Amino acid sequence: MPPRVSWRSFWLMILGCLSLGGCSSLPELKDAPRSYKLTSAPDSLIAGYLAEPLASHPGQSGVLPLFEGLDAMVARLALIKSAEASIDLQYYIFRNDDTGRLLAWQLLDAADRGVRVRLLLDDTASVNIDRQLAVMASHPNVSVRLYNPSSHRTLRALSFVSDFGRMNHRMHNKSLTVDNRLSVVGGRNIGNEYFSNDEDVEFGDLDLLLTGPVVEQVSDQFDAYWNGSDTYPVELLTEHQVQSDELAAMYDLIANQKRQLEEHPYIQRLTKSPLLRHMADNRLEWFWGEARVFADPHDKREGKAEAWMITPLLEEFQQTRESLVIISPYFVPTADGVRLLTGLAKRGVAVTVITNSLAATDVLAVHSGYKGYREALLRAGVSLYEVKATGKRPSHSWKGSSRSSLHAKSFLFDNDRLFVGSFNFDPRSAWLNTEMGVMVNQGELNQKIHAWLPRFLTNNTYQVKLGKDGLYWHELSSGKDIYAEPQAGFWRRFMADVLALLPLESQL
């Protein structure tokens, strides 16, 4: 039994660590094996499945939007189930919940079939699961790496205090690629709330299922991160020495968990997904056109902005001629962003912003950073919509999530270009975290989303307006005007006002 440490000794130890810049450091990163994308054989299941549509659209990429959480999970499970050569996953969050376990089980099944699995996670995702990840990585066909890891594996807050400049940069990228032939890229992390399997909160999100030349670009950016200097094999970071019987014990645990989940209503809902039938019948409605990956370098904090994805994104904004729609759950435009959007509006571009209301946001500090810019945007002619907190419970808490929350990150440029990815319109996405997404030149898809927007806005948002007495919220579905932050109780409004006084904008 370890000796007990008094609180005084504990805090002296913490202060000593901080005064020395931290009690531990990262291991030396050397001899980590480099690996690169693997493409399945021409006669593989996925290659045969895609042969006809790709041949009919030479040089073009196919894009299929995944709006619904169930469809997004079905697509991921189907891709992993069909893999024959390789599976590459890159995520900011990978929760150890029902959906996370469903995917992990399929990954191990694929590894048992001989498929090479590479799992790349931001270190944020590995809190409390280092041991499980190390056991998983003991499979000969599975490798797990963590981006920009904390040197303190137990008291991780110490690394943020003693090494904040490094730890403040996170990998926010999100992609899954199978056989270097199909990818899913978008805004969803791995967790129940992203896939319609959480009773407390559901994130409205958007992914793109991709095929064609753009998949090679997704794989190339994955390889750059996987082999980068910021990425560590999990076995270098954990003190846990995996024993020979631990992987077998994990399989036993998985077998028990599978039995418990067999009758879960969520599994039944997945089996009834229309997308599953369309995939089985090869009746997917692909949108074909040019697609490009925009991605930050893995060492973004050390590079120049010219190499960051904010540069080509800003060029797309500047080239907009008629209309711009920004869908961003975390919208903190800053003074520079306000100048950009008001400049576009003055040029005659119809600018629309869709973000979370105070009641719907899951990050209260972000709303505090955004709220002060509303009046300037409205005065310039920008149309501003805030998503409702729909569901049984209004959001009166000052800290909890609401029943629903916008999480999709998409920009519609005119009627011919669509960006979908992990990038929010905020300082953190622009300057701190690494991000990625796909720019699609496809008029038919853009027009379809534009046609869907009015119904979405009417049913799910308030339009923020500016009257002679200040802001008010117009409920489109009822025509009712509301003169305080709708659905948000006193404490939530109070805390947003308090946070707005703090110098937090650069971190939002």
Side-chain angles (χ1 to χ4, degrees):
M1 187 174 187
R4 298 180 65 182
V5 179
S6 69
W7 280 111
R8 181 176 182 275
S9 299
F10 173 79
W11 286 115
L12 286 174
M13 178 182 70
I14 298 300
L15 291 172
C17 289
L18 296 182
S19 66
L20 295 173
C23 287
S24 61
S25 59
L26 289 171
E28 185 178 353
L29 185 60
K30 62 179 183 179
D31 301 327
R34 301 173 74 84
S35 61
Y36 299 90
K37 59 191 177 186
L38 288 178
T39 306
S40 63
D43 62 350
S44 65
L45 177 64
I46 291 178
Y49 183 87
L50 296 170
E52 183 178 341
L54 285 171
S56 301
H57 302 87
Q60 295 185 316
S61 294
V63 177
L64 180 72
L66 301 172
F67 292 102
E68 302 297 330
L70 287 175
D71 289 346
M73 176 53 68
V74 164
R76 285 166 170 81
L77 292 172
L79 264 61
I80 294 171
K81 192 74 173 177
S82 304
E84 295 182 38
S86 62
I87 304 172
D88 294 331
L89 299 94
Q90 182 177 15
Y91 283 100
Y92 173 61
I93 293 172
F94 197 116
R95 299 203 193 285
N96 184 25
D97 56 15
D98 289 344
T99 54
R101 285 191 288 271
L102 275 173
L103 287 173
W105 299 341
Q106 292 300 319
L107 292 176
L108 285 172
D109 284 349
D112 289 342
R113 300 195 305 268
V115 177
R116 185 194 70 182
V117 176
R118 295 188 296 177
L119 178 58
L120 173 57
L121 302 176
D122 184 80
D123 192 50
T124 304
S126 73
V127 176
N128 300 323
I129 59 170
D130 274 6
R131 188 187 72 80
Q132 292 96 317
L133 291 175
V135 173
M136 195 171 176
S138 70
H139 192 294
N141 291 326
V142 178
S143 298
V144 180
R145 294 189 178 181
L146 302 176
Y147 178 85
N148 197 22
S150 167
S151 56
H152 300 275
R153 305 310 294 168
T154 304
L155 297 174
R156 299 201 180 191
L158 288 180
S159 288
F160 275 91
V161 174
S162 62
D163 196 9
F164 182 77
R166 177 177 71 87
M167 294 299 295
N168 194 34
H169 297 268
R170 307 314 321 162
M171 183 189 74
H172 200 229
N173 311 36
K174 302 168 179 67
S175 70
L176 184 158
T177 303
V178 168
D179 287 355
N180 194 35
R181 295 185 182 276
L182 285 168
S183 290
V184 177
V185 171
R188 288 183 174 93
N189 292 297
I190 305 302
N192 287 345
E193 64 268 37
Y194 300 94
F195 298 103
S196 303
N197 188 33
D198 192 309
E199 294 182 356
D200 295 323
V201 60
E202 178 171 353
F203 285 132
D205 223 318
L206 175 60
D207 295 320
L208 297 178
L209 177 61
L210 307 166
T211 190
V214 71
V215 176
E216 292 274 355
Q217 299 175 39
V218 177
S219 293
D220 288 341
Q221 75 84 36
F222 182 95
D223 285 347
Y225 278 76
W226 184 261
N227 297 309
S229 58
D230 300 289
T231 306
Y232 285 70
V234 69
E235 52 268 29
L236 287 183
L237 299 170
T238 178
E239 296 180 356
H240 179 74
Q241 299 298 314
V242 179
Q243 303 300 311
S244 58
D245 61 344
E246 286 190 81
L247 186 60
M250 177 176 280
Y251 277 101
D252 290 340
L253 176 63
I254 288 172
N256 289 330
Q257 290 174 335
K258 282 183 176 180
R259 284 192 292 270
Q260 294 172 11
L261 204 58
E262 281 178 358
E263 302 303 320
H264 195 289
Y266 184 68
I267 303 299
Q268 308 307 315
R269 291 165 60 204
L270 288 175
T271 61
K272 297 176 182 179
S273 163
L275 179 67
L276 189 61
R277 295 194 300 273
H278 293 163
M279 295 179 81
D281 299 337
N282 204 352
R283 291 188 292 112
L284 296 181
E285 297 182 4
W286 295 102
F287 295 89
W288 295 92
E290 179 189 358
R292 296 167 289 152
V293 170
F294 287 2
D296 284 315
H298 69 89
D299 55 352
K300 177 177 179 177
R301 61 189 178 278
E302 300 170 3
K304 296 181 180 179
E306 290 78 9
W308 301 352
M309 64 178 291
I310 184 65
T311 298
L313 264 181
L314 285 175
E315 291 174 359
E316 296 290 341
F317 279 97
Q318 295 287 8
Q319 293 170 11
T320 306
R321 304 176 304 277
E322 298 176 355
S323 68
L324 168 66
V325 178
I326 296 172
I327 303 173
S328 181
Y330 312 127
F331 179 73
V332 185
T334 74
D336 288 339
V338 170
R339 280 192 290 271
L340 170 67
L341 299 182
T342 57
L344 290 172
K346 289 176 182 177
R347 274 177 23 205
V349 176
V351 180
T352 300
V353 175
I354 305 169
T355 190
N356 277 313
S357 65
L358 174 58
T361 187
D362 67 317
V363 182
L364 195 58
V366 169
H367 189 87
S368 72
Y370 142 73
K371 63 196 294 287
Y373 292 108
R374 291 182 292 201
E375 186 169 330
L377 291 170
L378 292 170
R379 288 190 184 281
V382 174
S383 297
L384 186 56
Y385 296 87
E386 294 182 358
V387 172
K388 297 177 180 179
T390 58
K392 297 179 181 178
R393 298 186 302 276
S395 185
H396 295 304
S397 168
W398 65 268
K399 59 181 179 178
S401 294
S402 57
R403 179 65 182 92
S404 65
S405 185
L406 178 69
H407 197 260
K409 307 127 183 10
S410 305
F411 309 136
L412 286 86
F413 302 96
D414 295 322
N415 285 315
D416 56 4
R417 291 166 293 145
L418 168 68
F419 175 85
V420 175
S422 66
F423 189 97
N424 289 294
F425 201 103
D426 63 14
R428 177 158 288 278
S429 285
W431 310 113
L432 295 176
N433 291 345
T434 69
E435 308 284 355
M436 71 169 295
V438 176
M439 180 68 71
V440 181
N441 287 53
Q442 221 291 335
E444 184 182 356
L445 176 56
N446 251 38
Q447 291 163 23
K448 181 177 181 179
I449 296 176
H450 273 290
W452 162 83
L453 271 176
R455 184 174 72 255
F456 170 82
L457 294 176
T458 297
N459 295 332
N460 299 280
T461 71
Y462 304 100
Q463 184 175 7
V464 186
K465 294 191 172 186
L466 185 61
K468 60 182 181 180
D469 296 322
L471 299 181
Y472 66 98
W473 287 257
H474 179 70
E475 187 174 36
L476 297 167
S477 58
S478 68
K480 179 182 178 181
D481 292 332
I482 304 168
Y483 293 89
E485 302 264 10
Q487 298 180 279
F490 168 79
W491 283 110
R492 198 164 177 86
R493 296 197 301 269
F494 174 75
M495 288 304 299
D497 290 341
V498 170
L499 290 171
L501 300 175
L502 303 178
L504 300 174
E505 183 174 282
S506 65
Q507 302 301 312
L508 299 176

